[in-house]
């Protein structure tokens, strides 16, 4: 699995804040000469592994716990070093930045050690090489025998992945469809929007086993040594740690343990697909709804406080404050929420949930500031004059007279902001916060069903948004009567 | 001998390079009731609003109780404004709180009165303007005349030394003008120093100690009600009064 463009953005961001001295203070600088990586892990007593558990049989969740071949390998490495394994879930795109910023010690996520990646991290030896395959509809089995038959046909692959490049280079006149998630590609294949999916053999086998309408063509493409295989990524200059991992990998290979790990993964998968009804996975969705509501609610509350301060600063006659607030509002409104959230998470040493909430709140604050500024502007000028003529200070005038009226005016806008946060907060799933979108991806990966989890999530979002709209309208009417 | 309450010297104000107040020297003595009359756009409101610095003068000074308040910093200005109550044409009650809270807010926040003391005082003042029964009504449910009487009570709650009125009855239906003027008349009788901009000539004649005629940004003429209404000297005063009294 390989995604280039997103990772490049993230890497650029990482480079950006790594060069900011203030932020870089939290990043210990390691010289290759005195590599203490292994000693550090031993001292710490834990080995933190980052992974994106939506990629069976490598890593996936069973009963909300990450399992799979990669987890088994990581456990073995931790055991051999003599420390405890901690598994941290993140979006695939975020994993390497996680290493660069020392949020995690290593990545096992079916990652191919490409030359580009080798520039930013160190890799262990390849621990598994399953080859490349193409998934097709069973009904097409007489048309497609190998990858060359796909000339001038439509083939799908994960965006920016190794397979994407292989298809493009090695199939003549092919029409590519790139999607981020394998589950989405499966939907496209089943609905005949594409004719085949190029993917890793282990992954292809797992999916086909659980989709009787599909079949797999194994051993496809013309593969070179560097084009394939999965390896473990470590922070640059972790020679001793890499050596320790390689020792374990050698042992695993010698004893053919990967076969056993894959067999175990297959068994675990059966647990998941024993009952693939959405109802069976309700706890996933409930957890997602909980986090989505929690993030939106905290974010909107902080957003209102922050927005009020920003609005007052923008209205202030103290010019530096005014400029600062204006710059903040314009900057936040001028950059995507996703990058803000990633920047916070990787730039500062804070947990994902905190970073997610803070990112969404800081973003919301900028928008709320504009609503509040509009609200304050729409309170008649005579109100300030009356208050000031009574001797009330500027602060008291704002607090007791102007802001209560402004808030009442903008109450519907604030309600809408909260509602749109419920939808927009889904961005935090990229840093591994288990909101509804993240959970929906997990259910997709666990059940091999693409559309049903989407439908469930859509209905849940609709119920949340519709219900809250109703509730807010009701509260608004109550307030008007007050 | 009565002491000086407010004095302006060479007071000027320009809006966007247009001078609307062109140098006014005037005095208000303690206990005096001044009524300012004049044609629309003559600068009456602007002048009145400069007395408590709601409008910053372009030139000249305002002295209040011996203190030059023209360039005071914001916090000192608040202390001065406590002593100068102001009543506006459009009432400007706070719609987000009930009548009692409107009156009790400033004493609590500015003077640090306890909530109980402020509420009791507010009730007394509401009683004085005849609105004790409306203490828990919201401003929106009151008539214009009632709102303006609450606004007067609100200004009085700070115990001001002078009250400034800017056309307090102009926004009212005719049948409500009387109740507001009655309250103002009562205040005058109690010896409150007042500066009143109004078109109510009857009130001016009856209550004013001095009438100022303002036109084109200058104080064109001033005198006792008899002097101004019965023997106006200035030509513009004469034509203004002729037009007003015709109606
Ligand atoms: N904030 C402002 N900006 C620009 N011009 C203003 C402003 N306030 C008042 N003016 C102008 O200053 C002049 C005097 O206005 P002012 O309101 O003081 O007159 P007035 O005597 O109170 O009139 P009225 O009887 O209509 O209330 C007018 O020409 C008015 O247009
Ligand atoms: Mg006026």
């Amino acid at each position: 699995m390989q995604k280039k463009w997103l990772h490049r953005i993230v890497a650029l961001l990482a480079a950006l804040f790594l060069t900011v001295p203030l932020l870089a203070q939290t990043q210990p600088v390691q010289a290759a000469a005195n590599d203490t990586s292994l000693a550090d892990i031993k001292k710490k007593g834990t080995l933190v592994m980052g992974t994106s558990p939506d990629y069976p049989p490598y890593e996936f969740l069973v009963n909300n716990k990450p399992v799979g071949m990669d987890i088994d390998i990581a456990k073995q490495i931790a055991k051999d070093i003599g420390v405890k394994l901690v598994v941290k879930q993140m979006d695939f795109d975020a994993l390497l930045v996680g290493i660069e910023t020392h949020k995690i010690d290593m990545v096992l996520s079916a990652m191919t050690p490409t030359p580009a990646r080798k520039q930013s991290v160190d890799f262990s030896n390849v621990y598994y090489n399953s080859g490349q395959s193409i998934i097709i509809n069973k009904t097409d089995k007489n048309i497609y025998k190998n990858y060359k038959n796909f000339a001038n046909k439509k083939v799908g692959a994960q965006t920016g992945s190794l397979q994407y490049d292989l298809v493009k280079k090695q199939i003549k006149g092919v029409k590519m469809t790139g999607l981020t998630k394998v589950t989405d590609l499966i939907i496209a294949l089943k609905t005949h929007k594409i004719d085949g999916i190029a993917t890793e053999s282990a992954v292809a086998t797992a999916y086909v086993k659980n989709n009787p309408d599909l079949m797999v063509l194994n051993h496809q493409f013309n593969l070179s040594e560097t084009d394939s295989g999965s390896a473990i990524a470590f922070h640059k200059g972790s020679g001793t740690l890499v050596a320790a991992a390689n020792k374990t990998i050698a042992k695993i290979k010698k004893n053919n343990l990967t076969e056993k790990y894959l067999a175990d993964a297959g068994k675990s998968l059966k647990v998941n697909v024993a009952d693939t009804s959405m109802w069976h996975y309700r706890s996933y969705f409930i957890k997602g709804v909980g986090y989505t509501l929690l993030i939106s609610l905290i974010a909107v509350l902080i957003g209102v406080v922050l927005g009020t301060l920003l609005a007052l600063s923008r209205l202030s006659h103290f010019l530096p404050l005014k400029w600062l607030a204006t710059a903040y509002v314009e900057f936040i409104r001028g950059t995507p929420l996703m990058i803000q959230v990633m920047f916070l998470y990787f730039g500062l040493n804070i947990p994902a949930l905190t970073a997610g909430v803070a990112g969404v709140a800081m973003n919301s604050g900028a928008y709320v500031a504009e609503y509040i500024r509009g609200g304050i502007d729409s309170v008649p000028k005579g109100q300030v004059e009356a208050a000031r003529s009574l001797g009330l200070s500027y602060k008291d005038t704002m607090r007791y007279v102007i802001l209560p009226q402004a808030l009442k005016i903008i109450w519907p806008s604030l309600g809408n902001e909260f509602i749109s946060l419920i939808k927009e907060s889904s961005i935090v799933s990229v840093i591994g916060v288990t909101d509804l979108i993240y959970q929906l991806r997990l259910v997709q990966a666990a059940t091999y069903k693409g559309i049903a989890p989407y439908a469930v999530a859509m209905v849940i979002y609709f119920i949340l948004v519709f219900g809250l709209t109703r509730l807010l309208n009701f509260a608004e009417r109550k307030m008007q009567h007050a | 001998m009565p002491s000086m309450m407010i004095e302006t010297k060479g007071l000027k104000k320009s809006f966007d390079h247009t001078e609307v107040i062109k140098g006014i020297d005037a005095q208000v003595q303690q206990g005096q009731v001044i009524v300012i009359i004049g044609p629309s756009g003559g600068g009456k409101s602007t002048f009145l609003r400069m007395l408590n610095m709601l409008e910053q003068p372009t030139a000249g000074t305002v002295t209040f109780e011996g203190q030059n308040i023209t360039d005071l910093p914001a916090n000192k200005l608040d202390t001065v404004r406590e002593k100068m109550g102001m009543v506006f044409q459009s009432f400007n009650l706070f719609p987000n709180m009930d009548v009692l809270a409107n009156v009790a807010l400033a004493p609590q926040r500015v003077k640090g009165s306890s909530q109980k003391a402020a509420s009791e005082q507010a009730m007394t003042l509401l009683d004085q303007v005849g609105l004790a029964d409306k203490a828990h009504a919201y401003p929106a449910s009151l008539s214009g005349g009632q709102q303006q009487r609450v606004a007067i009570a609100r200004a009085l709650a700070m115990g001001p030394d002078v009250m400034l009125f800017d056309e307090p009855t102009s926004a009212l239906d005719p049948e409500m003008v009387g109740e507001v003027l009655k309250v103002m008349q009562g205040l005058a009788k109690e010896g409150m120093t007042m500066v009143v901009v109004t078109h109510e000539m009857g009130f001016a004649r009856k209550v004013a100690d001095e009438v100022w005629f303002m036109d084109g940004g200058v104080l064109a003429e001033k005198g006792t009600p008899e002097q101004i209404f019965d023997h106006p000297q200035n030509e513009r005063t004469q034509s203004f009064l002729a037009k007003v009294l015709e109606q």
Side-chain angles (χ1 to χ4, degrees), chain A residues 406-481:
Chain A
L407 284 177
K408 190 167 170 180
I409 293 168
I410 63 165
W411 168 252
S413 310
L414 288 183
N416 286 338
E417 173 68 12
F418 178 52
I419 286 166
S420 75
L421 276 190
I422 287 182
K423 291 179 277 179
E424 277 166 25
S425 65
S426 58
I427 290 286
V428 299
S429 61
V430 296
I431 55 170
V433 177
T434 53
D435 79 328
L436 188 48
I437 293 284
Y438 190 91
Q439 295 295 97
L440 133 79
R441 294 291 184 198
L442 294 183
V443 175
Q444 282 181 326
T447 60
Y448 298 91
K449 284 189 178 170
I451 294 177
Y454 276 140
V456 171
M458 212 152 73
V459 169
I460 292 176
Y461 271 119
F462 177 74
I463 291 173
L464 285 181
V465 169
F466 185 75
L468 277 165
T469 311
R470 280 304 168 94
L471 202 72
L472 287 169
N473 284 345
F474 177 75
E476 196 191 328
R477 255 173 311 176
K478 276 261 147 126
M479 254 176 82
Q480 297 302 346
H481 287 307

Side-chain angles (χ1 to χ4, degrees), chain B residues 44-45 89 166-167 197:
Chain B
K44 304 181 297 293
S45 297
Q89 182 175 343
D166 191 1
E167 302 199 28
V197 175

Side-chain angles (χ1 to χ4, degrees), chain A residues 6 14 57 92 107 113 121 148 219 262 340 380 384 420 439:
Chain A
L6 236 177
F92 188 81
V107 165
V121 292
K148 292 193 174 121
H219 309 299
L262 281 174
Q340 293 163 9
V384 182
S420 75
Q439 295 295 97

Side-chain angles (χ1 to χ4, degrees), chain B residues 15-16 20 38-47 55 89 166-167 199:
Chain B
F15 289 112
D16 311 318
V20 299
S40 180
K44 304 181 297 293
S45 297
T46 308
F47 173 72
E55 217 65 86
Q89 182 175 343
D166 191 1
E167 302 199 28
H199 293 294

